[in-house]
Amino acid sequence: MKIFYSTFLVFFISYQTTAQDLTLYNMPYIQQRVELNPAFLPKSKVHVSIPGLSSLGISFSNSGFKYADLVKLEGDSLRLDVDNMLNEMSDENKLIFATNLQLFGFGLKLGNNYFNLAVNEKANMQFNYPKDFFSFLWDGNAANLNQASNFNFKINAIHYREYALGYNRTFNDKLSIGGRLKYIYGLENISTNASDITVTTNEDSAYAMTITNNIEINTSGLGDVDGIAQNYLFGKQNTGFAVDLGFNFHLTEKLSINGSALNLGSINWKSDVENYISTNPNAIYVFEGYPLRDLSADSSSSIATQIADSLKELFRLDSNNLSYSTGLNTQYHLATDFKIVEGQHVGAHLLFNNFNKIGSSALSLYYTGAFTRVISASVSYTMINGSFSNLGVGLRLNGGPLQWYILTDNLLSFFTPEKAQYFNFRTGFNLTFGKHKDQ
Amino acid sequence: MRNKLLILSFLVVALAGCKKDYFDPDKLSDAADNLVWSPEFAIPLAYGSYTLEDVLNQTSEDAQSVVQIDQDNFVTLVYTGEIASLNASDVFIISDQATSSSFNSGVNIPLLPASDSLVVNYTLLESISVGANQIDSMRMNSGNFQVNINSTFKQDVKFELTFPTIIKNGQAVKEIVQLNYSGSTPVSGTATIDLSDALLILNHNSTTRNTIKIEVRAVVYGNGSSIASSDQIDINTNITDLDFAAVYGYLDVSNISTPIDSIPISVFSAAQGVGTFSITNPSIKFRFFNSIGVPLAIDFSQFKGLNTNTGVQNDLISSSALPSPLPIQSPMINQQGQILADSFTIGGSDLAQFINDQPNRLIYGIDLQTSSSANQSSFILDTSKLKVDATLEMPLEGSANVFGVYDTIAVSFQGLDSNNSQVDVDNLVLKSIVENEFPIDFAMQLYTADSLLNVTDSLLPSGTVIYSSNIDAAGELVSAGILNLDIVIDSSRTQSIETMQNIIIKASATTAGGGSENVKIYSDYKLDVRLGVKAKFSVNP
């Protein structure tokens, strides 16, 4: 039971993954920043990411509700307030998990040119859950008569590895333009193209229930593995390409504007593909109860079997093995930066995220300060998807060439996890050599 | 500074303690155990759509449909029963029978030498007993005609029997019976004639019928003994196992009766005789299918409607519309083998009271009689039959005013477990939606009852009516009448439902205009019934 509740807790201390790495975007000493805008230049001439340790990022988010919405502390005991949890939910809610591990990275500045490469392992999972379903279970359907209850659960998940080769160039000390070309190797994917399930209880038909259904899900890599690691790590046929584009323009000596478009590309999934499609898309099943003329003491089990068979037919899925394509987690950044004095900056940063045709956005206000060559920090305040209590902090320490950093976009989630809907952090070690000429 | 550090430390510890409580698995487990779930669900229970035919099939003892539908979907209820089915063997019977005749020599001969003989001729006319029938002839399938002769002559006697009235293969049957004297008398002998495929001509001299003629030539062979005038010959005949193929003559089939039987009228099976019920054009049609070549007529020993629920009877025998006797067409001689169909109908106002008495049984019994004088020649073949059926037709155009029905359904309901301490039913509402396309108001009440039919509760509000549909002047449906009823099931009603063994249905029907207007019933009218339940309950740990 304790393990259950521990696991239960994880899904309630969460962070909207679309707010991922807002703080990183504003920390110039950390070279992983280039992944967010390929036009950015790191402060060091050379950097090497320590394999497996240079960047580990994790984020959780639950847009529906906070832990404290459900669990109330009253004295020294707890009370579950399901009604309050449901009140806090939106009609459509998202549970999101993302992780990012840099396997290797390297960057080199030569004059006005900056070359970089990186290998990153990434995984994203987004689970959409409707409020109607939980209201149906908890409150029943009597308060929702004649209205369609949405039971549209969706899951989209992707695990891939990207091999990125980047280049940017500075023009006139004012403009930098950069790009990264990425080869994508896909490992697993779940892509929900359609998940339309509705249940309507009709009061005028003595509560007859109408159920509609249309499901279309593609998967890759979920089947049995052959146990050979090389086949899994390098042998799949799921490939694609993506590009990152960015710019950084100094309007004045103090004011600059920058922006980027990331993950413009797709993966074609071919290995171990299973497509699941409703046999009868948009079929309708109406449950009106037991037929009176067939009702007897002996008939109830056979009628129940008929009903079960009808539901099975409604939800029956056909299976194919057709390759398909999915996009990546496309991001668009736009920011403005004002240099107060050397090493001290403030700014505003707008992020728009699009994962599998589902979009979200965030606005962040930040302060970044480099106090010495050894330490720099950033503080941000982010408004995201109706949440206005996200305080981000970042810290970078350099001990000689060894650099350590830790970032979070929601510091408060560490201290009041019960009130947090967003949680993320990124940390890692890099080796940095030489100074950038403008330091 | 030190105090500030102490305060800060206290806050950190306190905060850490609160966080630990928030996520304490044991406390979370307790919270889950104390959680009370109180949903309210609305679910459909049952549904059904019933046409008139569906209702009648459920109430009729005979599973066959009695609904006839014309091209306009107008409904007529038709109840048919076979009230008589008679074969030839039922109407014409010849029983086994025997005759006896004797004749003497009439001469005294002191001594008849062996070289001499005496011939005695004698003609017998043996009558067959066939009741009032006057048979001219019969073609036989089978039968036996046995002649036993006893002689007291002290000589050998040869009897030459000729049967001019028994024809086989186009010739009169002849038999010889030899009696040999061996010192004692009487001397006996037998001749047996197989009547298979024989023609019996029983008409003697065109005036005497039912007669078999036997010509006897007895030859007495002398042996030196005497012959007295009193020497006697006895001739006994036995007719057995007669199976005729055809019989002709002046035939009489009177005094034949069928057993009392009945036709169920399902539409009134549950009628309580309450209120009024009228049909604009009911009829009872008798159909006769007759191949018996005897003029016939039917007398009804019984012909009445009976409501077994109320005991009310309506006797139609006394009706002037029903002739007594009721003649039937019969085939003439030249129509042998044909079946003549005939019919007779009574209806209209003659049946008004009959219908209004709401009989669920039409009881009948008939007596058959010959309707003609003895001068009409007639016939009966072995294949001849008489079938009579009666059809009650009720075209469903009429009116009803508080026409009551009553029915009882055995049930057993164990859905609500009021003894379950973890589940409390806070509120239970049974929703009934009835859409009525019939132009008839149905007032109804449902009662729960125990195994002895003692009423324990009523389920519907008093005065519950399923209102009739709206129809236009042509009788076409405009809109259905709708009953949307919520029945609150409180704790006391829950108990009566749990313990009920029967549901008693009492309903009454009234047509438009308070039962004063005639309406038509069409086959596509239906009664849609939907039942659902809305329940609010609490599940306690």
Side-chain angles (χ1 to χ4, degrees):
Chain A
M1 183 59 73
K2 289 185 180 180
I3 295 174
F4 167 75
Y5 282 112
S6 300
T7 308
F8 175 75
L9 292 177
V10 167
F11 284 90
F12 287 93
I13 304 171
S14 48
Y15 181 84
Q16 181 74 337
T17 194
T18 55
Q20 189 173 4
D21 300 331
L22 282 163
T23 303
L24 175 64
Y25 193 89
N26 310 313
M27 297 198 70
Y29 281 86
I30 304 174
Q31 18 284 340
Q32 280 75 18
R33 184 185 184 217
V34 170
E35 297 175 9
L36 302 179
N37 189 335
F40 283 157
L41 287 172
K43 293 296 186 182
S44 58
K45 277 193 173 179
V46 177
H47 84 264
V48 177
S49 301
I50 299 176
L53 294 178
S54 62
S55 179
L56 170 62
I58 295 176
S59 67
F60 293 101
S61 77
N62 180 15
S63 69
F65 55 94
K66 305 183 289 291
Y67 179 86
D69 290 333
L70 173 64
V71 181
K72 302 295 185 185
L73 181 63
E74 297 176 345
D76 61 350
S77 59
L78 297 177
R79 178 177 65 87
L80 298 180
D81 191 347
V82 179
D83 291 321
N84 186 60
M85 179 189 76
L86 291 173
N87 286 337
E88 294 297 325
M89 277 189 189
S90 303
D91 290 342
E92 297 281 345
N93 305 278
K94 291 188 279 286
L95 183 68
I96 300 175
F97 167 82
T99 184
N100 184 332
L101 176 67
Q102 189 166 74
L103 300 177
F104 177 73
F106 173 78
L108 173 66
K109 270 193 295 194
L110 293 173
N112 291 329
N113 307 292
Y114 174 62
F115 302 91
N116 60 86
L117 62 87
V119 179
N120 294 307
E121 196 88 3
K122 295 187 176 182
N124 285 312
M125 188 276 292
Q126 181 169 300
F127 175 62
N128 288 32
Y129 59 93
K131 175 181 177 179
D132 284 351
F133 177 77
F134 296 95
S135 294
F136 185 95
L137 292 181
W138 179 253
D139 295 322
N141 63 338
N144 207 33
L145 299 177
N146 303 323
Q147 299 176 42
S149 292
N150 171 12
F151 284 17
N152 299 341
F153 287 90
K154 285 187 183 179
I155 182 167
N156 290 292
I158 187 170
H159 173 206
Y160 66 95
R161 187 179 318 122
E162 65 179 22
Y163 301 84
L165 185 63
Y167 169 77
N168 81 33
R169 181 175 174 84
T170 303
F171 301 91
N172 303 322
D173 292 335
K174 283 194 173 183
L175 174 64
S176 293
I177 295 176
R180 294 203 322 160
L181 178 65
K182 298 191 285 192
Y183 168 74
I184 310 295
Y185 174 79
L187 287 106
E188 292 91 15
N189 177 256
I190 302 174
S191 176
T192 302
N193 291 340
S195 174
D196 302 319
I197 303 172
T198 63
V199 177
T200 307
T201 306
N202 191 333
E203 186 176 18
D204 295 334
S205 301
Y207 312 130
M209 301 175 82
T210 302
I211 304 172
T212 64
N213 167 55
N214 184 26
I215 293 174
E216 186 179 342
I217 299 175
N218 296 318
T219 69
S220 173
L222 301 187
D224 294 334
V225 297
D226 60 9
I228 301 174
Q230 184 165 356
N231 290 344
Y232 173 73
L233 294 173
F234 304 104
K236 291 179 182 270
Q237 303 300 311
N238 310 318
T239 59
F241 290 91
V243 294
D244 297 341
L245 300 172
F247 76 94
N248 189 12
F249 182 66
H250 294 269
L251 295 168
T252 66
E253 184 184 348
K254 288 183 178 291
L255 185 65
S256 65
I257 184 171
N258 56 77
S260 64
L262 308 178
N263 294 327
L264 303 175
S266 63
I267 301 178
N268 194 23
W269 300 91
K270 292 182 181 177
S271 294
D272 191 21
V273 171
E274 291 280 351
N275 321 107
Y276 300 99
I277 303 174
S278 290
T279 305
N280 302 298
N282 300 314
I284 296 175
Y285 172 69
V286 181
F287 174 60
E288 301 174 287
Y290 285 85
L292 280 168
R293 66 175 71 229
D294 297 333
L295 198 61
S296 69
D298 299 327
S299 68
S300 59
S301 61
S302 67
I303 294 172
T305 301
Q306 289 175 23
I307 295 170
D309 289 342
S310 295
L311 287 172
K312 281 182 190 174
E313 183 61 28
L314 177 71
F315 289 102
R316 193 152 61 100
L317 299 174
D318 289 333
S319 174
N320 290 319
N321 305 107
L322 303 176
S323 64
Y324 63 97
S325 295
T326 61
L328 301 176
N329 185 13
T330 307
Q331 289 186 344
Y332 302 91
H333 296 260
L334 184 64
T336 180
D337 183 275
F338 181 79
K339 184 171 69 176
I340 302 170
V341 293
E342 193 63 40
Q344 308 297 312
H345 297 257
V346 293
H349 174 202
L350 180 64
L351 165 67
F352 179 75
N353 199 80
N354 182 4
F355 181 39
N356 210 44
K357 304 175 186 176
I358 299 174
S360 57
S361 58
L363 175 63
S364 180
L365 305 174
Y366 68 88
Y367 159 78
T368 294
F371 304 103
T372 66
R373 283 161 42 191
V374 175
I375 183 170
S376 63
S378 176
V379 177
S380 65
Y381 169 74
T382 301
M383 294 164 285
I384 179 166
N385 284 346
S387 173
F388 300 93
S389 57
N390 304 296
L391 179 66
V393 294
L395 177 67
R396 184 268 314 177
L397 295 174
N398 264 89
L402 182 65
Q403 177 190 78
W404 172 74
Y405 68 91
I406 186 166
L407 316 164
T408 178
D409 291 333
N410 187 7
L411 179 66
L412 295 178
S413 65
F414 291 88
F415 297 97
T416 55
E418 70 278 7
K419 295 181 182 177
Q421 284 179 259
Y422 316 105
F423 167 81
N424 86 327
F425 81 93
R426 184 191 278 238
T427 186
F429 294 90
N430 294 313
L431 295 172
T432 60
F433 304 94
K435 289 191 302 184
H436 184 60
K437 66 178 181 181
D438 62 353
Q439 272 188 283
Chain B
M1 182 63 178
R2 185 177 175 184
N3 289 338
K4 289 180 182 176
L5 283 174
L6 280 174
I7 292 170
L8 182 61
S9 302
F10 173 78
L11 286 175
V12 170
V13 170
L15 188 62
C18 285
K19 296 301 157 221
K20 186 181 175 185
D21 285 341
Y22 242 121
F23 300 101
D24 187 327
D26 292 330
K27 293 187 180 180
L28 278 171
S29 177
D30 291 339
D33 290 340
N34 293 326
L35 186 64
V36 177
W37 179 38
S38 300
E40 186 174 26
F41 281 99
I43 60 171
L45 284 181
Y47 68 98
S49 184
Y50 299 95
T51 61
L52 178 66
E53 191 169 2
D54 294 327
V55 174
L56 292 177
N57 282 344
Q58 286 195 349
T59 58
S60 174
E61 296 174 15
D62 185 348
Q64 290 179 340
S65 172
V66 297
V67 175
Q68 282 190 357
I69 301 166
D70 67 10
Q71 67 274 15
D72 296 323
N73 290 330
F74 178 66
V75 175
T76 298
L77 299 184
V78 178
Y79 298 93
T80 300
E82 186 178 80
I83 64 175
S85 179
L86 299 171
N87 297 321
S89 58
D90 296 323
V91 301
F92 184 83
I93 301 170
I94 297 183
S95 56
D96 296 347
Q97 49 196 281
T99 63
S100 294
S101 298
S102 299
F103 62 90
N104 298 326
S105 68
V107 297
N108 285 311
I109 300 176
L111 187 146
L112 184 65
S115 59
D116 201 356
S117 62
L118 173 66
V119 176
V120 179
N121 291 303
Y122 194 74
T123 298
L124 297 175
L125 295 174
E126 302 289 358
S127 293
I128 299 175
S129 174
V130 285
N133 294 292
Q134 296 293 315
I135 302 175
D136 287 331
S137 62
M138 290 173 62
R139 276 192 295 109
M140 305 304 297
N141 288 324
S142 63
N144 293 306
F145 187 80
Q146 187 179 67
V147 180
N148 299 309
I149 302 176
N150 295 322
S151 166
T152 59
F153 281 79
K154 300 181 188 64
Q155 294 84 17
D156 294 343
V157 184
K158 182 175 77 172
F159 292 89
E160 296 174 357
L161 305 175
T162 301
F163 301 87
T165 58
I166 301 177
I167 309 298
K168 290 191 76 168
N169 299 318
Q171 294 181 337
V173 172
K174 294 182 179 180
E175 291 286 333
I176 293 177
V177 179
Q178 179 73 42
L179 299 183
N180 295 321
Y181 178 71
S182 58
S184 62
T185 60
V187 181
S188 301
T190 301
T192 301
I193 301 169
D194 178 5
L195 297 178
S196 298
D197 299 322
L199 172 65
L200 303 184
I201 300 174
L202 304 180
N203 182 341
H204 180 66
N205 293 332
S206 300
T207 56
T208 304
R209 297 181 172 90
N210 306 335
T211 302
I212 293 178
K213 182 177 180 181
I214 305 174
E215 294 175 349
V216 181
R217 182 173 182 269
V219 180
V220 181
Y221 295 96
N223 58 1
S225 299
S226 62
I227 296 176
S229 62
S230 61
D231 286 342
Q232 184 172 295
I233 295 173
D234 297 324
I235 296 180
N236 302 311
T237 65
N238 283 299
I239 301 174
T240 58
D241 300 326
L242 290 183
D243 179 16
F244 67 92
V247 58
Y248 303 88
Y250 293 85
L251 304 178
D252 180 25
V253 295
S254 297
N255 301 316
I256 294 174
S257 300
T258 63
I260 305 298
D261 204 342
S262 65
I263 301 171
I265 304 172
S266 62
V267 69
F268 296 125
S269 62
Q272 298 300 303
V274 177
T276 60
F277 188 94
S278 69
I279 298 291
T280 56
N281 194 25
S283 64
I284 297 178
K285 183 175 182 179
F286 299 94
R287 295 189 305 168
F288 313 103
F289 303 92
N290 184 26
S291 56
I292 297 176
V294 179
L296 299 173
I298 287 177
D299 261 329
F300 287 94
S301 58
Q302 286 206 42
F303 197 71
K304 63 183 178 183
L306 170 66
N307 184 310
T308 57
N309 299 320
T310 62
V312 172
Q313 303 182 45
N314 186 292
D315 199 335
L316 288 171
I317 291 179
S318 58
S319 168
S320 60
L322 189 63
S324 180
L326 178 61
I328 303 172
Q329 267 199 63
S330 300
M332 307 294 284
I333 289 289
N334 59 345
Q335 294 172 307
Q336 290 184 63
Q338 295 181 24
I339 301 173
L340 298 191
D342 195 8
S343 65
F344 180 81
T345 302
I346 60 174
S349 58
D350 295 324
L351 292 182
Q353 188 57 44
F354 174 84
I355 295 295
N356 192 49
D357 285 343
Q358 304 160 28
N360 52 27
R361 288 263 165 207
L362 179 61
I363 300 174
Y364 58 87
I366 66 169
D367 297 326
L368 195 63
Q369 58 178 281
T370 304
S371 66
S372 70
S373 68
N375 287 327
Q376 181 169 340
S377 179
S378 52
F379 69 91
I380 299 175
L381 307 180
D382 58 346
T383 56
S384 295
K385 293 181 191 296
L386 171 66
K387 286 193 176 180
V388 182
D389 62 34
T391 299
L392 170 62
E393 289 191 1
M394 298 170 58
L396 290 189
E397 178 181 1
S399 65
N401 187 5
V402 197
F403 163 57
V405 294
Y406 180 100
D407 202 355
T408 303
I409 302 174
V411 295
S412 177
F413 185 70
Q414 299 175 345
L416 294 172
D417 183 0
S418 57
N419 294 322
N420 188 331
S421 61
Q422 288 189 303
V423 179
D424 293 325
V425 178
D426 301 324
N427 188 32
L428 191 66
V429 178
L430 186 67
K431 176 175 277 292
S432 304
I433 295 179
V434 181
E435 292 189 20
N436 177 22
E437 293 184 353
F438 292 92
I440 303 173
D441 287 342
F442 295 102
M444 61 187 305
Q445 183 56 266
L446 304 178
Y447 298 95
T448 59
D450 59 18
S451 57
L452 299 177
L453 296 181
N454 296 314
V455 173
T456 56
D457 196 5
S458 58
L459 294 179
L460 302 180
S462 175
T464 296
V465 177
I466 305 171
Y467 289 104
S468 73
S469 62
N470 294 318
I471 54 175
D472 60 19
E476 296 289 330
L477 177 68
V478 174
S479 60
I482 295 179
L483 172 69
N484 191 332
L485 190 63
D486 287 341
I487 304 168
V488 178
I489 310 291
D490 56 21
S491 57
S492 63
R493 183 161 279 171
T494 301
Q495 188 172 7
S496 66
I497 291 176
E498 280 185 345
T499 57
M500 71 177 176
Q501 298 296 309
N502 292 280
I503 289 181
I504 298 172
I505 303 171
K506 285 190 176 177
S508 66
T510 302
T511 53
S516 61
E517 296 176 16
N518 287 334
V519 298
K520 287 186 175 182
I521 304 297
Y522 291 89
S523 63
D524 49 357
Y525 287 163
K526 59 184 185 299
L527 203 68
D528 282 337
V529 178
R530 295 178 181 275
L531 299 175
V533 66
K534 185 163 66 174
K536 183 168 177 59
F537 56 91
S538 300
V539 180
N540 299 307

